[in-house]
Amino acid sequence: VAEIEKKIIEAFEVFDRESNKTVDVREIGCIVRSLGCFPTEAEVQELLAKIEVEEPGGFVHLEHFLPVMTKVLLDRRFQPIPEDVILHAFEALDENKCGYITKEDLVKHLTEG
């Protein structure tokens, strides 16, 4: 647990611009993702609901973030999508089986139903 807490503190400090053990609430998603977790924006909001946010500035204090994030890492929440699933999705978009997707094709796939 001490090693996990150390990683969290180091990630938090990168975003602690004032060096006062607080970060802007809008940085929490970036901090969580920098720790190898990949929550959706809705999941980030759920996390924030568990963390005491100082009003009115919307700052999160390290002492409130640390226990919540430690539990996230210990529970292995928000793991990345497995590589084989991503590869399968890529292959579905690579209709010509050429090993790459053109920018035009990617735009088409992302913008059409």
Side-chain angles (χ1 to χ4, degrees), residues 7-24:
K7 270 178 53 175
I8 295 168
I9 292 166
E10 286 172 359
F12 190 93
E13 286 174 346
V14 169
F15 294 89
D16 182 4
R17 310 236 190 296
E18 305 291 320
S19 299
N20 63 357
K21 304 279 188 226
T22 65
V23 296
D24 188 300

Side-chain angles (χ1 to χ4, degrees), residues 43-58:
E43 290 168 328
V44 170
Q45 294 307 312
E46 286 175 29
L47 265 184
L48 286 171
K50 296 177 185 174
I51 301 169
E52 237 180 270
V53 179
E54 289 181 24
E55 294 300 328

Side-chain angles (χ1 to χ4, degrees), residues 4 7-8 35 37 69-76:
I4 288 173
K7 270 178 53 175
I8 295 168
L35 289 162
C37 297
M69 195 62 213
T70 300
K71 182 164 175 33
V72 165
L73 291 180
L74 288 173
D75 293 349
R76 298 187 181 280

Side-chain angles (χ1 to χ4, degrees), residues 87 90-91 93-102:
L87 186 59
F90 176 88
E91 289 169 347
L93 297 176
D94 181 15
E95 295 165 344
N96 299 324
K97 306 294 177 228
C98 54
Y100 63 88
I101 302 169
T102 65

